[in-house]
Amino acid sequence: MARIDPELDRAVSRAVGHGFPLSVEERASVVELVIQQVRDIGPLVNFYALERLIMVGCDPVDLSRLTSLKKIDMLSVEDSALRDLSQVDSFPLLDFTMPRNFVADLEPLLSIPTLLQVDVTGNPLSEVSYREIIPELINKGRRVRFSSELEWSVSVRLCEAGVGVVCYESSRGYRLCRPGLAWSKAPQYGHPLISRDDVEGLLHGDPEQACRFFA
């Protein structure tokens, strides 16, 4: 058997009681799985009964590898390196949460007839996705949570500069995040709180300055 990502093995242990290898019956018993800091999601393809999948701080995240999972109606990908939503309509999604990733193109969401709500905050969305696709989703009756224009603009500028940092607004104020595992072993933690002046400075000044907030 190919080597299994140790973090995925731990997640399966929490769900089933032990790690890989698993019997067909054990795989079929898993309807919900929470994985963190996983670098290879490939082995999930055989968990055909999965209905709810939560990925936190995973990198890379290629959803096209999971199209065999036809029962997933709740998918959450947070603080991860998700970039491409192509083939996301393979899942019968009701709820899709994808805050703090690197997604630019939201058009594939329009092809999910079952979708009820989506969270796209903290992503460097394209101009078309932000100004046209989001309103179209809302007009279709989807509940969409998205960034304000300021934090969205900053995320776009930082990612276009190759900094790999996104901006979002929490209950306490503006924060920065470095999605994926390139800079942190646990990217869901340590999001520095910054002022609006700092946010404006990143929008109009040197984008490389975003890194100093993580020091």
Side-chain angles (χ1 to χ4, degrees), residues 11-34 44 46-52 69 71:
V12 168
S13 293
R14 291 192 294 269
V16 179
H18 65 86
F20 290 89
L22 303 178
S23 67
V24 173
E25 292 75 18
E26 287 172 326
R27 293 176 190 271
S29 71
V30 181
V31 296
E32 179 173 332
L33 196 60
V34 180
L44 293 178
N46 295 316
F47 287 75
Y48 298 112
L50 268 180
E51 298 175 9
R52 297 175 296 279
L69 306 181
K71 294 185 177 181

Side-chain angles (χ1 to χ4, degrees), residues 101-105 120-131 147-168 176-177 199 202-203 207:
N101 284 273
F102 294 124
V103 173
D105 182 13
V120 299
T121 55
N123 281 272
L125 303 176
S126 69
E127 187 87 10
V128 169
S129 287
Y130 190 79
R131 302 202 185 280
S147 299
S148 71
E149 182 143 353
L150 175 58
E151 60 205 78
W152 163 66
S153 298
V154 171
S155 294
V156 170
R157 186 161 194 269
L158 295 178
C159 290
E160 285 181 345
V163 177
V165 174
V166 297
C167 180
Y168 69 101
L176 300 177
C177 170
V199 177
L202 292 175
L203 181 60

